[in-house]
Amino acid sequence: MFTLTADWMSFVIVALATLFLIGELLVNAKGVFSILGFGFITIYFSSFLDPGMFFVMIIIYFFGLMLMVIDGKVLNDGTLAVIGLVCMIVSVGFTAPNWVAGSYAVLGVFIGGFSSFGFLKVFKKRQMWSKITLFDQLTDEAGYSSINQSYKELVGKTGLTTTDMRPIGTVLIDEKEYSAITQGKWLKKNTEVEIADVDGTKILVKDKKN
Protein backbone atom coordinates (compact mmCIF):
# COMPACT_ATOMS: atom_id res chain seq x y z
CA MET A 1 0.00 0.00 0.00
CA PHE A 2 1.23 3.49 -0.86
CA THR A 3 2.14 5.50 2.26
CA LEU A 4 2.66 9.25 2.56
CA THR A 5 6.02 9.67 4.24
CA ALA A 6 6.33 13.48 4.09
CA ASP A 7 3.86 16.03 5.46
CA TRP A 8 3.88 18.10 2.27
CA MET A 9 2.64 15.09 0.31
CA SER A 10 -0.72 15.51 2.04
CA PHE A 11 -1.10 18.80 0.21
CA VAL A 12 -0.27 17.30 -3.17
CA ILE A 13 -2.54 14.26 -2.85
CA VAL A 14 -5.55 16.12 -1.40
CA ALA A 15 -5.18 18.99 -3.88
CA LEU A 16 -5.15 16.58 -6.82
CA ALA A 17 -8.10 14.63 -5.43
CA THR A 18 -10.20 17.76 -4.92
CA LEU A 19 -9.09 19.20 -8.25
CA PHE A 20 -10.29 16.19 -10.22
CA LEU A 21 -13.44 15.45 -8.19
CA ILE A 22 -14.79 18.99 -8.37
CA GLY A 23 -13.54 19.21 -11.94
CA GLU A 24 -15.69 16.17 -12.79
CA LEU A 25 -18.72 18.05 -11.45
CA LEU A 26 -17.94 21.18 -13.44
CA VAL A 27 -17.03 19.73 -16.82
CA ASN A 28 -17.84 16.66 -18.87
CA ALA A 29 -14.67 14.59 -18.44
CA LYS A 30 -16.47 11.29 -19.14
CA GLY A 31 -15.63 9.92 -15.70
CA VAL A 32 -11.85 10.17 -16.08
CA PHE A 33 -11.54 12.94 -13.49
CA SER A 34 -13.75 11.07 -11.02
CA ILE A 35 -11.54 7.97 -11.27
CA LEU A 36 -8.38 10.03 -10.75
CA GLY A 37 -9.92 12.00 -7.89
CA PHE A 38 -11.23 8.92 -6.14
CA GLY A 39 -7.85 7.25 -6.53
CA PHE A 40 -5.96 10.15 -4.97
CA ILE A 41 -8.35 10.62 -2.04
CA THR A 42 -8.28 6.85 -1.40
CA ILE A 43 -4.50 6.98 -1.21
CA TYR A 44 -4.68 9.82 1.30
CA PHE A 45 -7.19 8.25 3.67
CA SER A 46 -5.79 4.72 3.45
CA SER A 47 -2.29 6.00 4.27
CA PHE A 48 -3.30 7.13 7.76
CA LEU A 49 -6.47 5.27 8.76
CA ASP A 50 -7.54 1.75 9.61
CA PRO A 51 -10.38 0.29 7.48
CA GLY A 52 -13.12 1.36 9.92
CA MET A 53 -12.14 5.03 10.09
CA PHE A 54 -11.23 5.02 6.42
CA PHE A 55 -14.86 4.51 5.43
CA VAL A 56 -16.10 7.07 7.98
CA MET A 57 -13.80 9.84 6.77
CA ILE A 58 -14.25 9.14 3.08
CA ILE A 59 -18.04 9.21 3.54
CA ILE A 60 -17.76 12.60 5.29
CA TYR A 61 -15.56 13.89 2.46
CA PHE A 62 -17.95 12.80 -0.29
CA PHE A 63 -20.96 13.97 1.74
CA GLY A 64 -19.41 17.43 1.76
CA LEU A 65 -18.84 17.20 -1.98
CA MET A 66 -22.47 16.19 -2.47
CA LEU A 67 -23.72 19.18 -0.46
CA MET A 68 -21.73 21.48 -2.73
CA VAL A 69 -23.40 19.88 -5.77
CA ILE A 70 -26.88 20.32 -4.27
CA ASP A 71 -26.15 23.94 -3.45
CA GLY A 72 -24.87 24.63 -6.94
CA LYS A 73 -27.74 22.89 -8.70
CA VAL A 74 -30.74 23.67 -6.49
CA LEU A 75 -30.32 26.33 -3.80
CA ASN A 76 -27.57 28.67 -4.98
CA ASP A 77 -27.42 30.53 -1.67
CA GLY A 78 -24.05 29.17 -0.51
CA THR A 79 -25.29 27.64 2.76
CA LEU A 80 -24.90 23.98 1.85
CA ALA A 81 -21.70 24.74 -0.05
CA VAL A 82 -20.12 26.14 3.11
CA ILE A 83 -21.28 23.15 5.17
CA GLY A 84 -19.92 20.85 2.48
CA LEU A 85 -16.57 22.61 2.49
CA VAL A 86 -16.38 22.26 6.28
CA CYS A 87 -17.10 18.52 5.99
CA MET A 88 -14.28 18.11 3.49
CA ILE A 89 -11.87 20.12 5.64
CA VAL A 90 -12.77 18.17 8.78
CA SER A 91 -12.33 14.81 7.04
CA VAL A 92 -8.86 15.53 5.64
CA GLY A 93 -7.71 17.55 8.65
CA PHE A 94 -8.55 14.97 11.30
CA THR A 95 -7.17 12.17 9.16
CA ALA A 96 -3.65 13.63 9.13
CA PRO A 97 -1.18 12.24 11.72
CA ASN A 98 -0.06 15.71 12.86
CA TRP A 99 -1.09 19.33 12.58
CA VAL A 100 1.49 20.13 9.90
CA ALA A 101 0.22 17.40 7.56
CA GLY A 102 -3.34 18.41 8.46
CA SER A 103 -2.66 22.03 7.53
CA TYR A 104 -1.20 20.93 4.22
CA ALA A 105 -4.26 18.76 3.56
CA VAL A 106 -6.71 21.59 4.35
CA LEU A 107 -4.75 23.91 2.08
CA GLY A 108 -4.98 21.23 -0.60
CA VAL A 109 -8.79 21.33 -0.43
CA PHE A 110 -8.82 25.08 -1.07
CA ILE A 111 -6.16 25.10 -3.78
CA GLY A 112 -7.57 22.04 -5.54
CA GLY A 113 -11.10 23.41 -5.39
CA PHE A 114 -10.22 26.82 -6.82
CA SER A 115 -7.91 25.33 -9.44
CA SER A 116 -10.68 23.05 -10.72
CA PHE A 117 -12.47 26.07 -12.23
CA GLY A 118 -9.61 26.27 -14.70
CA PHE A 119 -11.06 23.20 -16.41
CA LEU A 120 -13.97 25.36 -17.58
CA LYS A 121 -11.60 27.10 -19.98
CA VAL A 122 -10.53 23.83 -21.56
CA PHE A 123 -13.42 21.35 -21.33
CA LYS A 124 -17.14 21.52 -22.07
CA LYS A 125 -19.23 22.69 -19.12
CA ARG A 126 -21.74 20.20 -17.73
CA GLN A 127 -25.30 20.96 -18.82
CA MET A 128 -26.71 20.49 -15.32
CA TRP A 129 -25.31 23.89 -14.30
CA SER A 130 -27.19 25.59 -17.13
CA LYS A 131 -30.56 24.09 -16.19
CA ILE A 132 -31.17 26.45 -13.29
CA THR A 133 -33.91 28.42 -14.99
CA LEU A 134 -33.60 31.49 -12.79
CA PHE A 135 -30.10 32.13 -14.10
CA ASP A 136 -30.75 31.21 -17.72
CA GLN A 137 -30.26 34.31 -19.83
CA LEU A 138 -32.86 34.25 -22.60
CA THR A 139 -31.85 36.33 -25.60
CA ASP A 140 -33.74 38.00 -28.45
CA GLU A 141 -31.96 35.66 -30.87
CA ALA A 142 -33.48 32.68 -29.05
CA GLY A 143 -36.99 34.04 -29.67
CA TYR A 144 -37.73 35.45 -26.24
CA SER A 145 -37.91 39.14 -27.16
CA SER A 146 -41.52 39.54 -26.04
CA ILE A 147 -40.82 37.84 -22.72
CA ASN A 148 -37.74 39.98 -22.17
CA GLN A 149 -39.65 43.15 -22.93
CA SER A 150 -42.43 42.35 -20.46
CA TYR A 151 -39.85 41.60 -17.78
CA LYS A 152 -37.93 44.80 -18.47
CA GLU A 153 -41.09 46.78 -17.84
CA LEU A 154 -41.05 45.53 -14.25
CA VAL A 155 -37.99 47.64 -13.33
CA GLY A 156 -38.91 50.26 -10.75
CA LYS A 157 -42.15 48.58 -9.75
CA THR A 158 -42.84 47.44 -6.20
CA GLY A 159 -44.01 44.06 -5.08
CA LEU A 160 -44.41 41.76 -2.09
CA THR A 161 -42.46 38.63 -1.31
CA THR A 162 -44.72 35.59 -1.10
CA THR A 163 -41.92 33.34 0.17
CA ASP A 164 -38.77 33.87 2.19
CA MET A 165 -35.95 35.10 -0.09
CA ARG A 166 -32.78 33.06 0.66
CA PRO A 167 -31.79 34.88 -1.55
CA ILE A 168 -34.05 33.24 -4.18
CA GLY A 169 -37.79 33.23 -3.79
CA THR A 170 -41.10 34.42 -5.22
CA VAL A 171 -42.51 37.94 -5.40
CA LEU A 172 -45.99 39.21 -6.25
CA ILE A 173 -46.02 42.08 -8.74
CA ASP A 174 -49.26 43.44 -10.21
CA GLU A 175 -51.10 40.37 -8.92
CA LYS A 176 -48.71 38.03 -10.72
CA GLU A 177 -45.98 35.89 -9.14
CA TYR A 178 -42.40 35.88 -10.41
CA SER A 179 -39.23 34.06 -9.43
CA ALA A 180 -36.67 36.60 -8.21
CA ILE A 181 -33.37 36.98 -6.41
CA THR A 182 -32.12 39.57 -3.93
CA GLN A 183 -28.75 41.30 -3.86
CA GLY A 184 -27.38 38.59 -1.59
CA LYS A 185 -29.66 39.45 1.34
CA TRP A 186 -32.25 37.20 2.97
CA LEU A 187 -35.73 38.75 3.18
CA LYS A 188 -38.74 37.46 5.04
CA LYS A 189 -42.11 36.67 3.52
CA ASN A 190 -44.46 39.67 3.03
CA THR A 191 -41.56 42.12 2.70
CA GLU A 192 -42.17 45.03 0.33
CA VAL A 193 -39.53 45.05 -2.40
CA GLU A 194 -38.61 47.09 -5.44
CA ILE A 195 -37.49 45.67 -8.79
CA ALA A 196 -33.91 46.90 -9.12
CA ASP A 197 -32.90 45.25 -12.40
CA VAL A 198 -33.90 42.63 -14.96
CA ASP A 199 -31.52 40.51 -17.02
CA GLY A 200 -33.43 38.30 -19.42
CA THR A 201 -35.90 36.62 -17.07
CA LYS A 202 -33.70 37.08 -14.02
CA ILE A 203 -35.39 39.57 -11.71
CA LEU A 204 -33.26 41.34 -9.11
CA VAL A 205 -35.14 42.84 -6.17
CA LYS A 206 -34.16 44.92 -3.14
CA ASP A 207 -35.83 45.80 0.14
CA LYS A 208 -37.88 48.94 -0.51
CA LYS A 209 -37.06 50.26 2.97
CA ASN A 210 -33.30 50.35 2.20
Side-chain angles (χ1 to χ4, degrees):
M1 181 181 294
F2 185 84
T3 303
L4 304 182
T5 56
D7 292 336
W8 61 267
M9 294 180 68
S10 296
F11 166 76
V12 175
I13 298 300
V14 172
L16 288 173
T18 306
L19 170 71
F20 288 119
L21 288 172
I22 294 183
E24 180 68 35
L25 299 175
L26 296 175
V27 301
N28 186 9
K30 298 182 179 180
V32 175
F33 284 178
S34 61
I35 294 173
L36 291 172
F38 185 77
F40 280 117
I41 202 63
T42 299
I43 289 173
Y44 176 75
F45 286 124
S46 62
S47 296
F48 303 124
L49 301 173
D50 58 47
M53 287 304 298
F54 167 83
F55 286 107
V56 171
M57 287 303 182
I58 204 167
I59 287 173
I60 294 175
Y61 180 89
F62 279 101
F63 177 71
L65 198 62
M66 182 182 67
L67 289 180
M68 296 178 72
V69 174
I70 294 174
D71 191 286
K73 188 177 180 181
V74 181
L75 299 181
N76 285 282
D77 64 3
T79 303
L80 290 184
V82 171
I83 297 174
L85 179 61
V86 171
C87 288
M88 295 172 71
I89 290 173
V90 167
S91 65
V92 300
F94 280 91
T95 294
N98 56 67
W99 71 270
V100 176
S103 298
Y104 275 125
V106 170
L107 183 61
V109 171
F110 284 102
I111 299 299
F114 282 116
S115 299
S116 65
F117 287 94
F119 289 134
L120 293 173
K121 298 181 179 180
V122 181
F123 299 95
K124 183 180 179 181
K125 183 179 179 181
R126 280 194 178 275
Q127 291 185 354
M128 73 176 190
W129 301 115
S130 61
K131 292 181 180 179
I132 307 170
T133 56
L134 182 62
F135 293 100
D136 281 346
Q137 187 172 357
L138 305 179
T139 63
D140 292 344
E141 291 78 10
Y144 294 101
S145 56
S146 60
I147 297 177
N148 283 350
Q149 186 59 40
S150 64
Y151 273 60
K152 289 177 181 177
E153 293 174 355
L154 297 175
V155 176
K157 290 189 176 183
T158 59
L160 196 68
T161 60
T162 57
T163 64
D164 290 338
M165 307 287 291
R166 301 183 176 175
I168 299 171
T170 305
V171 296
L172 183 66
I173 308 167
D174 294 337
E175 299 183 353
K176 186 176 180 181
E177 289 190 333
Y178 297 86
S179 293
I181 184 171
T182 70
Q183 297 170 312
K185 295 182 178 180
W186 287 26
L187 301 178
K188 293 183 178 180
K189 182 180 179 181
N190 295 324
T191 299
E192 190 175 13
V193 294
E194 180 180 346
I195 312 304
D197 191 22
V198 172
D199 181 8
T201 56
K202 176 184 173 183
I203 301 174
L204 181 66
V205 301
K206 63 180 180 179
D207 190 341
K208 198 174 187 308
K209 295 180 181 178
N210 297 333

